[in-house]
Amino acid sequence: RQRTAAEIFGQLDALRFAAGEGGRWLAERQIAQPDITQCLQDPFGGAPMVYIPSGSFRMGDESAVTSTLIAIAWQTPHSVLLGGFWIDTREISNLDFAQFIADSGYSRPEFWHPLGWDWRVSYSVTLPNAWSNAPDHGGGIPGNEQFPVTGVSWWEADAYARWAGKRLPTEA
């Protein structure tokens, strides 16, 4: 279904709060509200994407400065200029991830980073860890298609993103 502008802006507001407006992570300015007309539909039927314009923000943890004798450089608050980017408007669902599985995503090395492929082969990984776990809303259980996929390693998430023609977001 298509998401309304209010739903997308609500998610962006939640992301802003989680990123620090009201928490330990600091923000210098509000991210401008995206133009809802700048929305891309995922060609694989997954989450539509929304454009976040460039801007600067303050990244870091104030407590790292006061709670340690030597603050680690990446933890101390510092300004970061981030270029504009596209990001999914929702989490990847079990249904989305099931399409990756059905397309033989776990047996196609072209979607995997070489180290991720080595990890997958070494540990005989063929499904997400919680795929059949009812308490985690595993995607292998009928009726759980709409829930966000869980039990996915970084390597699996990266392979899914490559399969979908996207990439994982970075910290900044």
Side-chain angles (χ1 to χ4, degrees):
R1 79 176 175 86
Q2 289 287 62
R3 294 199 172 256
T4 66
E7 288 173 312
I8 292 171
F9 292 150
Q11 285 185 324
L12 290 174
D13 287 341
L15 286 172
R16 280 193 211 105
F17 182 80
E21 296 171 25
R24 292 185 337 188
W25 295 93
L26 307 174
E28 281 183 347
R29 72 174 188 84
Q30 295 278 334
I31 297 172
Q33 294 287 353
D35 179 352
I36 198 62
T37 61
Q38 293 185 352
C39 196
L40 295 176
Q41 189 65 40
D42 185 338
F44 292 94
M49 300 178 81
V50 66
Y51 184 74
I52 306 296
S54 64
S56 63
F57 70 99
R58 191 133 170 91
M59 181 172 140
D61 186 349
E62 234 8 279
S63 67
V65 176
T66 58
S67 66
T68 60
L69 295 175
I70 301 172
I72 300 171
W74 59 266
Q75 287 182 333
T76 57
H78 57 284
S79 290
V80 175
L81 177 61
L82 192 62
F85 59 93
W86 290 91
I87 193 165
D88 287 357
T89 59
R90 63 170 174 79
E91 302 90 347
I92 302 305
S93 71
N94 286 323
L95 179 62
D96 298 331
F97 205 84
Q99 292 172 343
F100 168 74
I101 294 168
D103 196 26
S104 303
Y106 277 92
S107 59
R108 295 176 61 186
E110 66 266 26
F111 298 130
W112 294 75
H113 184 281
L115 294 175
W117 183 254
D118 290 346
W119 168 84
R120 193 208 68 71
V121 170
S122 294
Y123 292 98
S124 302
V125 176
T126 59
L127 290 171
N129 189 40
W131 194 247
S132 297
N133 191 348
D136 292 327
H137 300 292
I141 300 171
N144 286 347
E145 295 84 3
Q146 76 280 11
F147 292 108
V149 67
T150 60
V152 176
S153 73
W154 189 91
W155 295 119
E156 291 165 293
D158 182 59
Y160 171 86
R162 291 170 188 241
W163 170 83
K166 300 176 182 182
R167 69 172 180 79
L168 295 177
T170 60
E171 184 177 353

